[in-house]
Amino acid sequence: MAGQTIVDKIWQSHEILLDPGSGESLLYIDNLFLTDSSSFHAFDLIEKEKLPVRNPKQIFGVPDHFASSKSKKLLDIADPDRIARINDLESNCKKWEIHHFGLDDPRMGITHVVGPEQGITQPGKIVLCGDSHTSTHGGLGALAFGIGGQSGHVLATQCLWQKKLKQIRVTVSGSRQNMVTAKDLALKIVSTLGAGGAFGHIVEYAGEAITALSIEERLTVCNMTIESGGRAGIIAPDQITFDYLLGKDFAPNGRDWENAVKFWKTLQSDPEAEFDREVFIDAGSIEPMVSWGNTAEETLPITAYIPDPFSIEDRDRRESLSNALEYMGLTPGTKMTDIKIDQVFIGSCTNGRIEDLRAAANVLKNHTIKVPALITPGSNLVRKAAEAEGLDRIFIKAGCTWGEAGCSMCVGMNGDIVAPQKRCASTSNRNFVGRQGSGSRTHLMSPAMAAAAAINGRLTDVREL
Amino acid sequence: MEPFVFHRGLAAPIDAINLDTDQILPARFLRKRRSDPEYKTFLFHDLRFDPVGNENQNFTLNQEAFRGATIIVGNSNFGGGSSREAAVFALEAFGIRSVIAPNFGDIFYNNCLKNGLLPIVLTKPETDQLRKTLHQNPGSRIDVDLNEQRVSTDNGITYAFEINDTAKSNLMLGLGQIGLTMMHAQRISEFEARYNAQLYS
């Protein structure tokens, strides 16, 4: 018998049945996360169908998309619709006795930061959320993916219909150069696979450059999987994973912990397991990366120049590239480091964890920024940890705004937006047209690179600072 | 859910590739409930309207001949990006019954099926040809026959498409997904009991 991948193992242990007509499996779901931005549709659905929430203890509600970065007060939220949606989440969770980490709960934050931080996300689990960056949780060895409209279905049944996805293994060998971060790795992987390159696939990340990553870095890499079209990213759990989870509130303890670790150790792809595709990347070749276009594929090393669409043969691709350059207000041949920026955003489920804030603070220390910079922690706990280490004082002294936890300017849904034609150096995950606000121009990069850009007011190679 | 068996409708071509869900429904409208009477105006909002709210005449859905379109013929990577189901709600509110493209964002594709909207995958040359035909004959109709799994134009083009049997029968019956799953309630309960018994043991 051929070997199994991690995903095969998790799939098998959660498959209730297979429907031959659709080729879809009915999977048992360990945890569902609900956010303020999409869960109201799910509750509307079960109300309409007059069905109860099947397993409320396996469900977690966290308001993050609409949460204000200015304060914890509801009144600081931009408009009545958003306040209503945050209230909907709270009242729905209360009604059904679902865990709810509200705005002022010390555990509140961006859902994909909170799940791992609380130890809710664990190796071998299937974790879902109505948000595409659910792929983040794969950094702990869980099979985690975004679902659109099926949250209501999961609330009512604790199950999901899902066709078994194909699998890609991305092996990153060697070791990273100095100042090259997990974000640079993630951007390199996406630009190698292409924006649609992992469509319909789950991506397992392996190789010594991956196993060398901390959990926070692994979460960053898995987070960006969706930018190559992949539904989920996953990294085999190891001692680093177990050490991270030990003692977390929702992680098993005592006898359960020992049994859990024994089981988690089996979650490795077998040596003879076969993948639908294998991709190899040399970590040593990666430089600090910056996106210039409107997909994360359109990313280049900071030492590069803006590409010329006329050199591209494929007509659609050429057109799309020209459109991206026009939207981004860029001229082919411009040196990346000559691009001036208007503002900086550091935060998000990609780069809003404590290690990210430390990296930014490390660069910002003893500097003054030239353009406005908003820094928002990924959770209330990250905020507290950052303040205990004095990072907030470094940020404020440099001239940055130190905000409250939430999705903030990554998705521009809480009122923190980038104005039309303004250029933002951002540690978030998407540089789509209009992502950070209508007409906004986003350049994706690591926290250290974003901090360097804030200091110089232009895209900057952090290694030269 | 409105059943989908056969649909004849006005079809509009949209040539852009990578038309992601942020463009189908900009994020700022995600806080709206579907019952909002303005819901249909949110569809492709920033492509359809300029910043002061005037219609962009270059966008096909705003052109007289394509007004009232119920079918969209798009291009590669339609509906990629964010998992927002509301992108499908906006299409539905606008009156779109079917979207044809060479490939779709995974989540978007499934969201369409679950909301009674038929996503059709044709080859790249086929969709290019369909859009070309629609540009040349603005205002023309397309027949979408789910039962026969066939798309055809009045000037004689016919293309076959694939769809899985379960999705097809659910669409044709207009069957919601929860009802379907509940037919397996017994097996779910048995599985759950077994699963919980072996967890951490």
Side-chain angles (χ1 to χ4, degrees):
Chain A
M1 185 186 134
Q4 285 186 305
T5 65
I6 310 172
V7 171
D8 295 336
K9 293 177 186 181
I10 299 176
W11 197 276
Q12 195 177 42
S13 65
H14 289 77
E15 188 178 48
I16 300 167
L17 59 95
L18 174 71
D19 172 49
S22 64
E24 287 183 329
S25 302
L26 187 63
L27 297 176
Y28 188 71
I29 303 308
D30 295 278
N31 297 115
L32 170 72
F33 290 96
L34 300 168
T35 78
D36 46 349
S37 80
S38 60
S39 64
F40 54 98
H41 295 305
F43 287 107
D44 282 353
L45 180 68
I46 63 163
E47 303 274 326
K48 199 178 106 199
E49 304 250 345
K50 298 192 170 52
L51 289 165
V53 174
R54 184 183 173 100
N55 295 353
K57 292 292 156 240
Q58 288 165 249
I59 320 285
F60 294 81
V62 196
D64 53 10
H65 285 63
F66 300 142
S68 171
S69 65
K70 294 186 187 73
S71 82
K72 289 294 178 191
K73 287 192 278 258
L74 263 180
L75 285 176
D76 270 329
I77 291 167
D79 69 32
D81 281 335
R82 293 182 244 218
I83 293 173
R85 296 298 86 80
I86 286 187
N87 286 334
D88 285 348
L89 180 62
E90 182 172 12
S91 61
N92 281 320
C93 287
K94 200 173 211 172
K95 174 176 174 186
W96 296 107
E97 299 180 340
I98 290 169
H99 302 277
H100 179 253
F101 305 155
L103 290 182
D104 49 8
D105 189 299
R107 300 164 296 183
M108 174 273 179
I110 307 172
T111 306
H112 311 315
V113 174
V114 170
E117 192 173 71
Q118 291 299 320
I120 299 163
T121 309
Q122 295 165 22
K125 277 188 171 186
I126 298 186
V127 172
L128 305 176
C129 178
D131 185 278
S132 47
H133 289 101
T134 308
S135 60
T136 313
H137 304 250
L140 283 166
L143 176 56
F145 45 91
I147 49 173
Q150 299 100 307
S151 291
H153 182 272
V154 180
L155 283 178
T157 65
Q158 204 59 35
C159 297
L160 179 80
W161 288 104
Q162 176 66 49
K163 199 169 185 168
K164 179 100 184 264
L165 297 155
K166 290 184 181 169
Q167 298 175 52
I168 297 177
R169 177 162 59 189
V170 174
T171 304
V172 191
S173 56
S175 56
R176 284 177 283 153
Q177 296 175 30
N178 191 26
M179 308 292 274
V180 171
T181 69
K183 181 63 164 289
D184 302 304
L185 203 67
L187 286 168
K188 175 69 181 183
I189 293 168
V190 176
S191 64
T192 304
L193 290 172
F199 259 140
H201 288 75
I202 295 171
V203 182
E204 180 182 340
Y205 301 98
E208 64 257 32
I210 297 295
T211 50
L213 298 173
S214 70
I215 292 302
E216 298 200 358
E217 292 174 316
R218 294 178 191 187
L219 295 169
T220 300
V221 170
C222 288
N223 173 276
M224 295 289 287
T225 309
I226 189 81
E227 307 318 320
S228 56
R231 278 295 287 282
I234 194 166
I235 295 173
D238 57 13
Q239 195 57 44
I240 297 175
T241 319
F242 313 147
D243 291 345
Y244 174 90
L245 285 170
L246 183 65
K248 300 229 180 275
D249 280 358
F250 288 87
N253 53 40
R255 185 71 179 274
D256 283 353
W257 171 262
E258 285 165 34
N259 289 331
V261 170
K262 216 180 293 166
F263 164 60
W264 294 343
K265 285 182 174 167
T266 67
L267 297 171
Q268 305 279 334
S269 289
D270 298 332
E272 64 278 23
E274 280 180 22
F275 289 81
D276 298 282
R277 228 173 108 200
E278 296 253 19
V279 174
F280 298 90
I281 293 172
D282 169 21
S285 70
I286 303 172
E287 291 191 80
M289 306 285 285
V290 176
S291 78
W292 55 266
N294 294 126
T295 71
E297 175 187 348
E298 292 164 343
T299 294
L300 285 167
I302 183 66
T303 50
Y305 295 77
I306 297 300
D308 189 343
F310 294 102
S311 62
I312 291 172
E313 263 179 54
D314 180 75
R315 196 177 61 100
D316 286 341
R317 187 77 203 107
R318 190 169 62 230
E319 217 158 87
S320 152
L321 208 118
S322 304
N323 290 344
L325 287 177
E326 192 188 330
Y327 179 83
M328 293 297 291
L330 294 170
T331 316
T334 308
K335 200 167 191 304
M336 290 281 244
T337 48
D338 285 341
I339 298 170
K340 290 204 173 73
I341 56 158
D342 300 296
Q343 64 197 93
V344 170
F345 172 65
I346 297 175
S348 84
C349 57
T350 317
N351 284 127
R353 286 168 285 268
I354 191 69
E355 291 174 11
D356 299 311
L357 299 185
R358 282 182 197 139
N362 200 31
V363 173
L364 287 165
K365 202 168 187 172
N366 302 323
H367 282 284
T368 309
I369 56 171
K370 281 212 176 90
V371 294
L374 172 63
I375 304 180
T376 60
S379 71
N380 288 348
L381 286 175
V382 170
R383 187 181 162 88
K384 202 169 143 195
E387 291 179 352
E389 294 178 22
L391 306 186
D392 58 321
R393 290 191 292 281
I394 294 173
F395 297 146
I396 292 164
K397 201 172 158 219
C400 307
T401 303
W402 174 235
E404 295 286 347
C407 301
S408 183
M409 204 179 278
C410 169
V411 66
M413 287 170 70
N414 72 337
D416 295 334
I417 55 165
V418 176
Q421 279 84 55
K422 293 294 179 193
R423 192 177 298 284
C424 182
S426 180
T427 68
S428 50
N429 40 53
R430 288 202 165 131
N431 50 348
F432 292 170
V433 168
R435 168 75 177 187
Q436 293 189 292
S438 244
S440 59
R441 293 168 172 167
T442 305
H443 293 273
L444 304 173
M445 64 196 75
S446 73
M449 287 285 286
I455 292 167
N456 283 341
R458 58 176 170 79
L459 299 183
T460 296
D461 189 339
V462 65
R463 295 169 300 184
E464 288 173 3
L465 202 71
Chain B
M1 208 166 93
E2 190 184 342
F4 193 118
V5 179
F6 175 91
H7 177 73
R8 177 176 170 79
L10 176 60
I14 301 182
D15 296 333
I17 63 167
N18 296 326
L19 205 56
D20 55 66
T21 51
D22 271 272
Q23 295 179 73
I24 299 174
L25 183 82
R28 63 185 183 281
F29 299 120
L30 288 182
R31 57 183 184 266
K32 300 287 186 182
R33 288 181 99 131
R34 294 171 78 174
S35 48
D36 193 308
E38 292 296 298
Y39 216 88
K40 62 177 180 295
T41 63
F42 306 153
L43 179 72
F44 297 119
H45 187 278
D46 297 345
L47 298 171
R48 277 167 66 205
F49 303 102
D50 69 13
V52 289
N54 295 318
E55 281 192 351
N56 166 15
Q57 285 308 313
N58 291 326
F59 197 70
T60 44
L61 291 176
N62 287 340
Q63 293 164 7
E64 223 36 60
F66 297 112
R67 239 175 245 283
T70 56
I71 298 168
I72 288 173
V73 184
N75 206 337
S76 307
N77 195 10
F78 192 101
S82 152
S83 63
R84 62 192 65 161
E85 185 187 23
V88 177
F89 298 161
L91 285 163
E92 192 190 26
F94 190 83
I96 301 298
R97 298 293 334 266
S98 178
V99 182
I100 303 170
N103 60 331
F104 292 92
D106 272 0
I107 305 177
F108 176 83
Y109 183 88
N110 278 312
N111 286 343
C112 285
L113 293 178
K114 270 134 209 173
N115 286 284
L117 203 144
L118 176 61
I120 297 176
V121 177
L122 295 180
T123 65
K124 172 91 175 116
E126 287 168 349
T127 53
D128 286 349
Q129 181 59 44
L130 272 184
R131 288 198 316 278
K132 192 173 152 200
T133 304
L134 295 171
H135 280 299
Q136 286 166 349
N137 308 284
S140 56
R141 262 67 180 164
I142 285 183
D143 289 345
V144 177
D145 189 335
L146 176 56
N147 193 34
E148 295 293 322
Q149 297 180 209
R150 209 164 49 201
V151 171
S152 43
T153 66
D154 289 349
N155 59 359
I157 299 173
T158 296
Y159 297 128
F161 64 88
E162 293 295 320
I163 182 167
N164 81 62
D165 293 345
T166 302
K168 181 176 173 178
S169 74
N170 289 351
L171 278 169
M172 291 181 65
L173 294 169
L175 195 62
Q177 216 197 3
I178 296 179
L180 187 80
T181 306
M182 288 305 194
M183 285 159 44
H184 303 290
Q186 174 85 18
R187 287 186 72 174
I188 296 171
S189 295
E190 286 165 10
F191 181 95
E192 187 168 51
R194 262 199 328 272
Y195 184 88
N196 287 333
Q198 57 80 48
L199 198 67
Y200 309 137
S201 65

